[in-house]
PDB file of all heavy atoms in Angstrom:
ATOM      1  N   LYS A   1       0.874  -1.233  -0.002  1.00  0.00           N
ATOM      2  CA  LYS A   1      -0.045  -0.059  -0.011  1.00  0.00           C
ATOM      3  C   LYS A   1       0.868   1.299   0.011  1.00  0.00           C
ATOM      4  O   LYS A   1       0.640   2.188  -0.830  1.00  0.00           O
ATOM      5  CB  LYS A   1      -0.897  -0.024   1.207  1.00  0.00           C
ATOM      6  CG  LYS A   1      -1.802   1.253   1.219  1.00  0.00           C
ATOM      7  CD  LYS A   1      -2.666   1.303   2.588  1.00  0.00           C
ATOM      8  CE  LYS A   1      -3.517   2.520   2.536  1.00  0.00           C
ATOM      9  NZ  LYS A   1      -2.832   3.737   2.592  1.00  0.00           N
ATOM     10  N   ASP A   2       1.868   1.245   0.827  1.00  0.00           N
ATOM     11  CA  ASP A   2       2.706   2.472   0.955  1.00  0.00           C
ATOM     12  C   ASP A   2       3.461   2.760  -0.440  1.00  0.00           C
ATOM     13  O   ASP A   2       3.561   3.933  -0.880  1.00  0.00           O
ATOM     14  CB  ASP A   2       3.846   2.236   2.012  1.00  0.00           C
ATOM     15  CG  ASP A   2       3.253   2.274   3.472  1.00  0.00           C
ATOM     16  OD1 ASP A   2       2.110   2.768   3.621  1.00  0.00           O
ATOM     17  OD2 ASP A   2       3.949   1.874   4.343  1.00  0.00           O
ATOM     18  N   THR A   3       3.826   1.582  -1.090  1.00  0.00           N
ATOM     19  CA  THR A   3       4.526   1.727  -2.263  1.00  0.00           C
ATOM     20  C   THR A   3       3.591   2.263  -3.406  1.00  0.00           C
ATOM     21  O   THR A   3       3.952   3.152  -4.198  1.00  0.00           O
ATOM     22  CB  THR A   3       5.150   0.443  -2.723  1.00  0.00           C
ATOM     23  OG1 THR A   3       6.026   0.024  -1.632  1.00  0.00           O
ATOM     24  CG2 THR A   3       6.029   0.533  -4.015  1.00  0.00           C
ATOM     25  N   LEU A   4       2.405   1.731  -3.461  1.00  0.00           N
ATOM     26  CA  LEU A   4       1.417   2.137  -4.535  1.00  0.00           C
ATOM     27  C   LEU A   4       1.063   3.662  -4.295  1.00  0.00           C
ATOM     28  O   LEU A   4       0.976   4.468  -5.292  1.00  0.00           O
ATOM     29  CB  LEU A   4       0.198   1.339  -4.501  1.00  0.00           C
ATOM     30  CG  LEU A   4       0.440  -0.164  -4.933  1.00  0.00           C
ATOM     31  CD1 LEU A   4      -1.001  -0.859  -4.902  1.00  0.00           C
ATOM     32  CD2 LEU A   4       1.155  -0.339  -6.246  1.00  0.00           C
ATOM     33  N   ASP A   5       0.918   4.068  -2.979  1.00  0.00           N
ATOM     34  CA  ASP A   5       0.595   5.396  -2.710  1.00  0.00           C
ATOM     35  C   ASP A   5       1.874   6.354  -3.127  1.00  0.00           C
ATOM     36  O   ASP A   5       1.666   7.388  -3.663  1.00  0.00           O
ATOM     37  CB  ASP A   5       0.369   5.683  -1.179  1.00  0.00           C
ATOM     38  CG  ASP A   5      -0.976   5.065  -0.828  1.00  0.00           C
ATOM     39  OD1 ASP A   5      -1.767   4.716  -1.630  1.00  0.00           O
ATOM     40  OD2 ASP A   5      -1.121   4.873   0.446  1.00  0.00           O
ATOM     41  N   HIS A   6       2.975   5.838  -2.881  1.00  0.00           N
ATOM     42  CA  HIS A   6       4.181   6.625  -3.322  1.00  0.00           C
ATOM     43  C   HIS A   6       4.237   6.768  -4.783  1.00  0.00           C
ATOM     44  O   HIS A   6       4.715   7.789  -5.317  1.00  0.00           O
ATOM     45  CB  HIS A   6       5.460   5.874  -2.800  1.00  0.00           C
ATOM     46  CG  HIS A   6       6.752   6.479  -3.264  1.00  0.00           C
ATOM     47  ND1 HIS A   6       7.218   7.667  -2.671  1.00  0.00           N
ATOM     48  CD2 HIS A   6       7.580   6.104  -4.125  1.00  0.00           C
ATOM     49  CE1 HIS A   6       8.374   7.994  -3.323  1.00  0.00           C
ATOM     50  NE2 HIS A   6       8.668   6.952  -4.191  1.00  0.00           N
ATOM     51  N   LEU A   7       3.797   5.728  -5.517  1.00  0.00           N
ATOM     52  CA  LEU A   7       3.806   5.840  -7.014  1.00  0.00           C
ATOM     53  C   LEU A   7       2.544   6.501  -7.555  1.00  0.00           C
ATOM     54  O   LEU A   7       2.297   6.458  -8.768  1.00  0.00           O
ATOM     55  CB  LEU A   7       3.996   4.416  -7.592  1.00  0.00           C
ATOM     56  CG  LEU A   7       5.251   3.676  -7.275  1.00  0.00           C
ATOM     57  CD1 LEU A   7       5.223   2.233  -7.744  1.00  0.00           C
ATOM     58  CD2 LEU A   7       6.447   4.464  -7.848  1.00  0.00           C
ATOM     59  N   HIS A   8       1.751   6.955  -6.718  1.00  0.00           N
ATOM     60  CA  HIS A   8       0.406   7.561  -7.063  1.00  0.00           C
ATOM     61  C   HIS A   8      -0.481   6.707  -7.967  1.00  0.00           C
ATOM     62  O   HIS A   8      -1.107   7.106  -8.907  1.00  0.00           O
ATOM     63  CB  HIS A   8       0.698   8.884  -7.911  1.00  0.00           C
ATOM     64  CG  HIS A   8       1.689   9.785  -7.244  1.00  0.00           C
ATOM     65  ND1 HIS A   8       1.286  10.456  -6.113  1.00  0.00           N
ATOM     66  CD2 HIS A   8       2.926  10.166  -7.514  1.00  0.00           C
ATOM     67  CE1 HIS A   8       2.304  11.293  -5.722  1.00  0.00           C
ATOM     68  NE2 HIS A   8       3.279  10.971  -6.599  1.00  0.00           N
ATOM     69  N   LEU A   9      -0.590   5.437  -7.512  1.00  0.00           N
ATOM     70  CA  LEU A   9      -1.367   4.499  -8.234  1.00  0.00           C
ATOM     71  C   LEU A   9      -2.645   4.109  -7.270  1.00  0.00           C
ATOM     72  O   LEU A   9      -2.394   3.584  -6.255  1.00  0.00           O
ATOM     73  CB  LEU A   9      -0.615   3.189  -8.503  1.00  0.00           C
ATOM     74  CG  LEU A   9       0.504   3.357  -9.583  1.00  0.00           C
ATOM     75  CD1 LEU A   9       1.401   2.179  -9.672  1.00  0.00           C
ATOM     76  CD2 LEU A   9      -0.123   3.637 -10.976  1.00  0.00           C
ATOM     77  N   LYS A  10      -3.796   4.290  -7.835  1.00  0.00           N
ATOM     78  CA  LYS A  10      -4.970   3.991  -7.003  1.00  0.00           C
ATOM     79  C   LYS A  10      -5.544   2.623  -7.212  1.00  0.00           C
ATOM     80  O   LYS A  10      -6.281   2.140  -6.434  1.00  0.00           O
ATOM     81  CB  LYS A  10      -6.039   5.146  -7.378  1.00  0.00           C
ATOM     82  CG  LYS A  10      -5.575   6.504  -6.974  1.00  0.00           C
ATOM     83  CD  LYS A  10      -6.733   7.508  -7.278  1.00  0.00           C
ATOM     84  CE  LYS A  10      -6.362   8.939  -6.847  1.00  0.00           C
ATOM     85  NZ  LYS A  10      -7.379   9.953  -7.148  1.00  0.00           N
ATOM     86  N   GLN A  11      -5.217   2.102  -8.483  1.00  0.00           N
ATOM     87  CA  GLN A  11      -5.670   0.705  -8.661  1.00  0.00           C
ATOM     88  C   GLN A  11      -4.741   0.025  -9.668  1.00  0.00           C
ATOM     89  O   GLN A  11      -4.272   0.697 -10.563  1.00  0.00           O
ATOM     90  CB  GLN A  11      -7.148   0.814  -9.321  1.00  0.00           C
ATOM     91  CG  GLN A  11      -7.872  -0.554  -9.272  1.00  0.00           C
ATOM     92  CD  GLN A  11      -9.269  -0.406  -9.703  1.00  0.00           C
ATOM     93  OE1 GLN A  11      -9.651   0.167 -10.753  1.00  0.00           O
ATOM     94  NE2 GLN A  11     -10.265  -0.877  -8.931  1.00  0.00           N
ATOM     95  N   VAL A  12      -4.523  -1.208  -9.317  1.00  0.00           N
ATOM     96  CA  VAL A  12      -3.524  -1.903 -10.207  1.00  0.00           C
ATOM     97  C   VAL A  12      -4.018  -3.442 -10.358  1.00  0.00           C
ATOM     98  O   VAL A  12      -4.831  -3.879  -9.596  1.00  0.00           O
ATOM     99  CB  VAL A  12      -2.151  -2.002  -9.513  1.00  0.00           C
ATOM    100  CG1 VAL A  12      -1.489  -0.571  -9.325  1.00  0.00           C
ATOM    101  CG2 VAL A  12      -2.181  -2.674  -8.146  1.00  0.00           C
ATOM    102  N   HIS A  13      -3.420  -4.100 -11.394  1.00  0.00           N
ATOM    103  CA  HIS A  13      -3.504  -5.579 -11.468  1.00  0.00           C
ATOM    104  C   HIS A  13      -2.415  -6.042 -10.607  1.00  0.00           C
ATOM    105  O   HIS A  13      -1.332  -5.631 -10.587  1.00  0.00           O
ATOM    106  CB  HIS A  13      -3.336  -5.986 -12.911  1.00  0.00           C
ATOM    107  CG  HIS A  13      -4.295  -5.515 -13.840  1.00  0.00           C
ATOM    108  ND1 HIS A  13      -5.606  -5.855 -13.926  1.00  0.00           N
ATOM    109  CD2 HIS A  13      -4.163  -4.528 -14.915  1.00  0.00           C
ATOM    110  CE1 HIS A  13      -6.259  -5.266 -14.947  1.00  0.00           C
ATOM    111  NE2 HIS A  13      -5.418  -4.459 -15.504  1.00  0.00           N
ATOM    112  N   LEU A  14      -2.734  -7.106  -9.824  1.00  0.00           N
ATOM    113  CA  LEU A  14      -1.704  -7.754  -8.948  1.00  0.00           C
ATOM    114  C   LEU A  14      -1.536  -9.166  -9.392  1.00  0.00           C
ATOM    115  O   LEU A  14      -2.415  -9.950  -9.605  1.00  0.00           O
ATOM    116  CB  LEU A  14      -2.224  -7.765  -7.580  1.00  0.00           C
ATOM    117  CG  LEU A  14      -2.070  -6.469  -6.650  1.00  0.00           C
ATOM    118  CD1 LEU A  14      -2.890  -6.514  -5.501  1.00  0.00           C
ATOM    119  CD2 LEU A  14      -0.586  -6.217  -6.343  1.00  0.00           C
ATOM    120  N   ALA A  15      -0.205  -9.559  -9.488  1.00  0.00           N
ATOM    121  CA  ALA A  15       0.107 -10.944  -9.783  1.00  0.00           C
ATOM    122  C   ALA A  15       1.197 -11.485  -8.934  1.00  0.00           C
ATOM    123  O   ALA A  15       2.229 -10.889  -8.828  1.00  0.00           O
ATOM    124  CB  ALA A  15       0.520 -11.034 -11.340  1.00  0.00           C
ATOM    125  N   GLY A  16       0.905 -12.551  -8.195  1.00  0.00           N
ATOM    126  CA  GLY A  16       1.958 -13.048  -7.248  1.00  0.00           C
ATOM    127  C   GLY A  16       2.081 -14.628  -7.325  1.00  0.00           C
ATOM    128  O   GLY A  16       1.092 -15.281  -7.720  1.00  0.00           O
ATOM    129  N   ALA A  17       3.244 -15.023  -7.006  1.00  0.00           N
ATOM    130  CA  ALA A  17       3.573 -16.478  -6.959  1.00  0.00           C
ATOM    131  C   ALA A  17       4.077 -16.955  -5.654  1.00  0.00           C
ATOM    132  O   ALA A  17       4.938 -16.228  -5.071  1.00  0.00           O
ATOM    133  CB  ALA A  17       4.561 -16.858  -8.106  1.00  0.00           C
ATOM    134  N   SER A  18       3.600 -18.006  -5.117  1.00  0.00           N
ATOM    135  CA  SER A  18       4.182 -18.597  -3.857  1.00  0.00           C
ATOM    136  C   SER A  18       3.974 -17.521  -2.782  1.00  0.00           C
ATOM    137  O   SER A  18       2.892 -17.049  -2.486  1.00  0.00           O
ATOM    138  CB  SER A  18       5.506 -19.103  -4.078  1.00  0.00           C
ATOM    139  OG  SER A  18       5.917 -19.837  -2.924  1.00  0.00           O
ATOM    140  N   MET A  19       5.072 -17.120  -2.119  1.00  0.00           N
ATOM    141  CA  MET A  19       5.069 -16.139  -1.099  1.00  0.00           C
ATOM    142  C   MET A  19       4.495 -14.831  -1.556  1.00  0.00           C
ATOM    143  O   MET A  19       3.702 -14.245  -0.852  1.00  0.00           O
ATOM    144  CB  MET A  19       6.471 -15.927  -0.496  1.00  0.00           C
ATOM    145  CG  MET A  19       6.486 -14.851   0.563  1.00  0.00           C
ATOM    146  SD  MET A  19       8.133 -14.565   1.287  1.00  0.00           S
ATOM    147  CE  MET A  19       8.175 -15.927   2.416  1.00  0.00           C
ATOM    148  N   GLY A  20       4.807 -14.473  -2.754  1.00  0.00           N
ATOM    149  CA  GLY A  20       4.185 -13.268  -3.395  1.00  0.00           C
ATOM    150  C   GLY A  20       2.646 -13.291  -3.564  1.00  0.00           C
ATOM    151  O   GLY A  20       1.954 -12.279  -3.432  1.00  0.00           O
ATOM    152  N   ALA A  21       2.203 -14.589  -3.818  1.00  0.00           N
ATOM    153  CA  ALA A  21       0.763 -14.734  -3.984  1.00  0.00           C
ATOM    154  C   ALA A  21       0.105 -14.695  -2.589  1.00  0.00           C
ATOM    155  O   ALA A  21      -1.048 -14.022  -2.459  1.00  0.00           O
ATOM    156  CB  ALA A  21       0.451 -16.130  -4.559  1.00  0.00           C
ATOM    157  N   LEU A  22       0.701 -15.131  -1.638  1.00  0.00           N
ATOM    158  CA  LEU A  22       0.147 -15.030  -0.199  1.00  0.00           C
ATOM    159  C   LEU A  22       0.083 -13.550   0.226  1.00  0.00           C
ATOM    160  O   LEU A  22      -0.854 -13.144   0.784  1.00  0.00           O
ATOM    161  CB  LEU A  22       1.044 -15.859   0.782  1.00  0.00           C
ATOM    162  CG  LEU A  22       1.111 -17.338   0.535  1.00  0.00           C
ATOM    163  CD1 LEU A  22       2.161 -17.969   1.407  1.00  0.00           C
ATOM    164  CD2 LEU A  22      -0.228 -18.002   0.659  1.00  0.00           C
ATOM    165  N   ALA A  23       1.219 -12.798  -0.128  1.00  0.00           N
ATOM    166  CA  ALA A  23       1.160 -11.406   0.183  1.00  0.00           C
ATOM    167  C   ALA A  23       0.080 -10.646  -0.594  1.00  0.00           C
ATOM    168  O   ALA A  23      -0.599  -9.741   0.013  1.00  0.00           O
ATOM    169  CB  ALA A  23       2.528 -10.767  -0.099  1.00  0.00           C
ATOM    170  N   ALA A  24      -0.109 -11.057  -1.765  1.00  0.00           N
ATOM    171  CA  ALA A  24      -1.136 -10.432  -2.607  1.00  0.00           C
ATOM    172  C   ALA A  24      -2.615 -10.668  -2.028  1.00  0.00           C
ATOM    173  O   ALA A  24      -3.436  -9.747  -1.998  1.00  0.00           O
ATOM    174  CB  ALA A  24      -1.056 -10.862  -4.069  1.00  0.00           C
ATOM    175  N   VAL A  25      -2.821 -11.883  -1.638  1.00  0.00           N
ATOM    176  CA  VAL A  25      -4.145 -12.231  -1.018  1.00  0.00           C
ATOM    177  C   VAL A  25      -4.301 -11.416   0.201  1.00  0.00           C
ATOM    178  O   VAL A  25      -5.464 -10.789   0.354  1.00  0.00           O
ATOM    179  CB  VAL A  25      -4.249 -13.809  -0.709  1.00  0.00           C
ATOM    180  CG1 VAL A  25      -5.497 -13.988   0.098  1.00  0.00           C
ATOM    181  CG2 VAL A  25      -4.258 -14.517  -2.000  1.00  0.00           C
ATOM    182  N   VAL A  26      -3.379 -11.333   1.106  1.00  0.00           N
ATOM    183  CA  VAL A  26      -3.523 -10.526   2.309  1.00  0.00           C
ATOM    184  C   VAL A  26      -3.753  -9.098   1.947  1.00  0.00           C
ATOM    185  O   VAL A  26      -4.625  -8.432   2.533  1.00  0.00           O
ATOM    186  CB  VAL A  26      -2.299 -10.766   3.229  1.00  0.00           C
ATOM    187  CG1 VAL A  26      -2.412  -9.831   4.487  1.00  0.00           C
ATOM    188  CG2 VAL A  26      -2.169 -12.175   3.710  1.00  0.00           C
ATOM    189  N   PHE A  27      -2.903  -8.564   1.012  1.00  0.00           N
ATOM    190  CA  PHE A  27      -3.079  -7.110   0.732  1.00  0.00           C
ATOM    191  C   PHE A  27      -4.511  -6.864   0.149  1.00  0.00           C
ATOM    192  O   PHE A  27      -5.188  -5.865   0.520  1.00  0.00           O
ATOM    193  CB  PHE A  27      -2.001  -6.903  -0.415  1.00  0.00           C
ATOM    194  CG  PHE A  27      -2.222  -5.481  -1.016  1.00  0.00           C
ATOM    195  CD1 PHE A  27      -1.977  -4.237  -0.319  1.00  0.00           C
ATOM    196  CD2 PHE A  27      -2.833  -5.310  -2.349  1.00  0.00           C
ATOM    197  CE1 PHE A  27      -2.158  -3.059  -0.955  1.00  0.00           C
ATOM    198  CE2 PHE A  27      -2.971  -4.079  -2.840  1.00  0.00           C
ATOM    199  CZ  PHE A  27      -2.692  -2.996  -2.222  1.00  0.00           C
ATOM    200  N   VAL A  28      -5.023  -7.717  -0.797  1.00  0.00           N
ATOM    201  CA  VAL A  28      -6.316  -7.418  -1.447  1.00  0.00           C
ATOM    202  C   VAL A  28      -7.441  -7.555  -0.359  1.00  0.00           C
ATOM    203  O   VAL A  28      -8.426  -6.847  -0.455  1.00  0.00           O
ATOM    204  CB  VAL A  28      -6.564  -8.453  -2.505  1.00  0.00           C
ATOM    205  CG1 VAL A  28      -7.936  -8.296  -3.103  1.00  0.00           C
ATOM    206  CG2 VAL A  28      -5.556  -8.146  -3.686  1.00  0.00           C
ATOM    207  N   LYS A  29      -7.231  -8.482   0.637  1.00  0.00           N
ATOM    208  CA  LYS A  29      -8.264  -8.518   1.688  1.00  0.00           C
ATOM    209  C   LYS A  29      -8.273  -7.324   2.624  1.00  0.00           C
ATOM    210  O   LYS A  29      -9.298  -6.825   3.026  1.00  0.00           O
ATOM    211  CB  LYS A  29      -8.025  -9.802   2.532  1.00  0.00           C
ATOM    212  CG  LYS A  29      -8.482 -11.082   1.720  1.00  0.00           C
ATOM    213  CD  LYS A  29      -8.775 -12.191   2.691  1.00  0.00           C
ATOM    214  CE  LYS A  29      -9.537 -13.290   2.094  1.00  0.00           C
ATOM    215  NZ  LYS A  29     -10.048 -14.312   3.095  1.00  0.00           N
ATOM    216  N   LYS A  30      -7.156  -6.735   2.789  1.00  0.00           N
ATOM    217  CA  LYS A  30      -6.955  -5.601   3.752  1.00  0.00           C
ATOM    218  C   LYS A  30      -7.273  -4.285   3.008  1.00  0.00           C
ATOM    219  O   LYS A  30      -7.808  -3.350   3.553  1.00  0.00           O
ATOM    220  CB  LYS A  30      -5.602  -5.525   4.332  1.00  0.00           C
ATOM    221  CG  LYS A  30      -5.336  -6.627   5.320  1.00  0.00           C
ATOM    222  CD  LYS A  30      -3.891  -6.656   5.833  1.00  0.00           C
ATOM    223  CE  LYS A  30      -3.705  -5.513   6.840  1.00  0.00           C
ATOM    224  NZ  LYS A  30      -4.438  -5.648   8.114  1.00  0.00           N
ATOM    225  N   PHE A  31      -6.945  -4.239   1.708  1.00  0.00           N
ATOM    226  CA  PHE A  31      -7.152  -2.955   0.908  1.00  0.00           C
ATOM    227  C   PHE A  31      -7.743  -3.273  -0.408  1.00  0.00           C
ATOM    228  O   PHE A  31      -7.047  -3.158  -1.493  1.00  0.00           O
ATOM    229  CB  PHE A  31      -5.732  -2.328   0.762  1.00  0.00           C
ATOM    230  CG  PHE A  31      -4.958  -2.063   2.024  1.00  0.00           C
ATOM    231  CD1 PHE A  31      -3.882  -2.929   2.329  1.00  0.00           C
ATOM    232  CD2 PHE A  31      -5.322  -1.159   2.925  1.00  0.00           C
ATOM    233  CE1 PHE A  31      -3.179  -2.773   3.491  1.00  0.00           C
ATOM    234  CE2 PHE A  31      -4.573  -0.937   4.071  1.00  0.00           C
ATOM    235  CZ  PHE A  31      -3.526  -1.712   4.383  1.00  0.00           C
ATOM    236  N   PRO A  32      -9.016  -3.799  -0.432  1.00  0.00           N
ATOM    237  CA  PRO A  32      -9.587  -4.262  -1.711  1.00  0.00           C
ATOM    238  C   PRO A  32      -9.667  -3.192  -2.747  1.00  0.00           C
ATOM    239  O   PRO A  32      -9.833  -3.509  -3.969  1.00  0.00           O
ATOM    240  CB  PRO A  32     -10.889  -4.802  -1.250  1.00  0.00           C
ATOM    241  CG  PRO A  32     -11.146  -4.096   0.048  1.00  0.00           C
ATOM    242  CD  PRO A  32      -9.807  -3.963   0.758  1.00  0.00           C
ATOM    243  N   GLU A  33      -9.719  -1.964  -2.349  1.00  0.00           N
ATOM    244  CA  GLU A  33      -9.975  -0.840  -3.286  1.00  0.00           C
ATOM    245  C   GLU A  33      -8.856  -0.729  -4.390  1.00  0.00           C
ATOM    246  O   GLU A  33      -9.022  -0.091  -5.425  1.00  0.00           O
ATOM    247  CB  GLU A  33     -10.223   0.445  -2.624  1.00  0.00           C
ATOM    248  CG  GLU A  33      -9.160   1.100  -1.834  1.00  0.00           C
ATOM    249  CD  GLU A  33      -8.915   0.486  -0.462  1.00  0.00           C
ATOM    250  OE1 GLU A  33      -9.591  -0.614  -0.170  1.00  0.00           O
ATOM    251  OE2 GLU A  33      -8.122   1.054   0.373  1.00  0.00           O
ATOM    252  N   TYR A  34      -7.619  -1.246  -4.042  1.00  0.00           N
ATOM    253  CA  TYR A  34      -6.534  -1.059  -4.874  1.00  0.00           C
ATOM    254  C   TYR A  34      -6.441  -2.093  -6.029  1.00  0.00           C
ATOM    255  O   TYR A  34      -5.811  -1.889  -6.939  1.00  0.00           O
ATOM    256  CB  TYR A  34      -5.166  -1.172  -4.062  1.00  0.00           C
ATOM    257  CG  TYR A  34      -4.828   0.008  -3.174  1.00  0.00           C
ATOM    258  CD1 TYR A  34      -5.418   0.181  -1.995  1.00  0.00           C
ATOM    259  CD2 TYR A  34      -3.979   0.987  -3.661  1.00  0.00           C
ATOM    260  CE1 TYR A  34      -5.102   1.346  -1.161  1.00  0.00           C
ATOM    261  CE2 TYR A  34      -3.634   2.086  -2.944  1.00  0.00           C
ATOM    262  CZ  TYR A  34      -4.244   2.343  -1.691  1.00  0.00           C
ATOM    263  OH  TYR A  34      -3.945   3.369  -0.871  1.00  0.00           O
ATOM    264  N   ALA A  35      -7.164  -3.170  -5.877  1.00  0.00           N
ATOM    265  CA  ALA A  35      -7.085  -4.286  -6.800  1.00  0.00           C
ATOM    266  C   ALA A  35      -8.082  -4.155  -7.931  1.00  0.00           C
ATOM    267  O   ALA A  35      -9.300  -4.266  -7.677  1.00  0.00           O
ATOM    268  CB  ALA A  35      -7.223  -5.603  -6.082  1.00  0.00           C
ATOM    269  N   ALA A  36      -7.578  -4.054  -9.194  1.00  0.00           N
ATOM    270  CA  ALA A  36      -8.401  -4.306 -10.309  1.00  0.00           C
ATOM    271  C   ALA A  36      -8.591  -5.718 -10.637  1.00  0.00           C
ATOM    272  O   ALA A  36      -9.803  -6.170 -10.974  1.00  0.00           O
ATOM    273  CB  ALA A  36      -7.793  -3.488 -11.463  1.00  0.00           C
ATOM    274  N   THR A  37      -7.548  -6.499 -10.542  1.00  0.00           N
ATOM    275  CA  THR A  37      -7.592  -7.968 -10.598  1.00  0.00           C
ATOM    276  C   THR A  37      -6.585  -8.539  -9.728  1.00  0.00           C
ATOM    277  O   THR A  37      -5.547  -7.910  -9.324  1.00  0.00           O
ATOM    278  CB  THR A  37      -7.411  -8.430 -12.101  1.00  0.00           C
ATOM    279  OG1 THR A  37      -5.962  -8.186 -12.331  1.00  0.00           O
ATOM    280  CG2 THR A  37      -8.277  -7.856 -13.130  1.00  0.00           C
ATOM    281  N   LEU A  38      -6.691  -9.838  -9.486  1.00  0.00           N
ATOM    282  CA  LEU A  38      -5.730 -10.625  -8.697  1.00  0.00           C
ATOM    283  C   LEU A  38      -5.432 -11.882  -9.350  1.00  0.00           C
ATOM    284  O   LEU A  38      -6.357 -12.738  -9.627  1.00  0.00           O
ATOM    285  CB  LEU A  38      -6.333 -10.873  -7.235  1.00  0.00           C
ATOM    286  CG  LEU A  38      -5.560 -11.813  -6.378  1.00  0.00           C
ATOM    287  CD1 LEU A  38      -4.274 -11.196  -5.929  1.00  0.00           C
ATOM    288  CD2 LEU A  38      -6.384 -12.103  -5.105  1.00  0.00           C
ATOM    289  N   THR A  39      -4.112 -12.165  -9.618  1.00  0.00           N
ATOM    290  CA  THR A  39      -3.643 -13.425 -10.194  1.00  0.00           C
ATOM    291  C   THR A  39      -2.723 -14.062  -9.161  1.00  0.00           C
ATOM    292  O   THR A  39      -1.805 -13.453  -8.657  1.00  0.00           O
ATOM    293  CB  THR A  39      -2.938 -13.183 -11.453  1.00  0.00           C
ATOM    294  OG1 THR A  39      -3.780 -12.540 -12.516  1.00  0.00           O
ATOM    295  CG2 THR A  39      -2.429 -14.419 -12.086  1.00  0.00           C
ATOM    296  N   VAL A  40      -3.094 -15.270  -8.823  1.00  0.00           N
ATOM    297  CA  VAL A  40      -2.237 -16.047  -7.909  1.00  0.00           C
ATOM    298  C   VAL A  40      -1.892 -17.372  -8.379  1.00  0.00           C
ATOM    299  O   VAL A  40      -2.562 -18.060  -9.027  1.00  0.00           O
ATOM    300  CB  VAL A  40      -2.916 -16.140  -6.479  1.00  0.00           C
ATOM    301  CG1 VAL A  40      -3.022 -14.793  -5.874  1.00  0.00           C
ATOM    302  CG2 VAL A  40      -4.239 -16.775  -6.566  1.00  0.00           C
TER     303      VAL A  40
END
């Protein structure tokens, strides 16, 4: 979230693998407004 705010991005596609996918799921559950799509 901090990084997307720093980059002035309000909504993004997210794609994660393994640990990155776990981080993506937690992020989207906590901050759903940032996710246009989620790929895990």
Side-chain angles (χ1 to χ4, degrees):
K1 179 185 183 299
D2 291 344
T3 305
L4 296 184
D5 289 344
H6 176 72
L7 296 174
H8 307 290
L9 292 171
K10 295 182 179 180
Q11 197 172 52
V12 300
H13 300 289
L14 281 162
S18 190
M19 178 178 280
L22 298 175
V25 169
V26 176
F27 171 76
V28 172
K29 285 198 163 189
K30 291 177 72 68
F31 307 106
E33 67 275 13
Y34 284 83
T37 67
L38 172 64
T39 299
V40 293

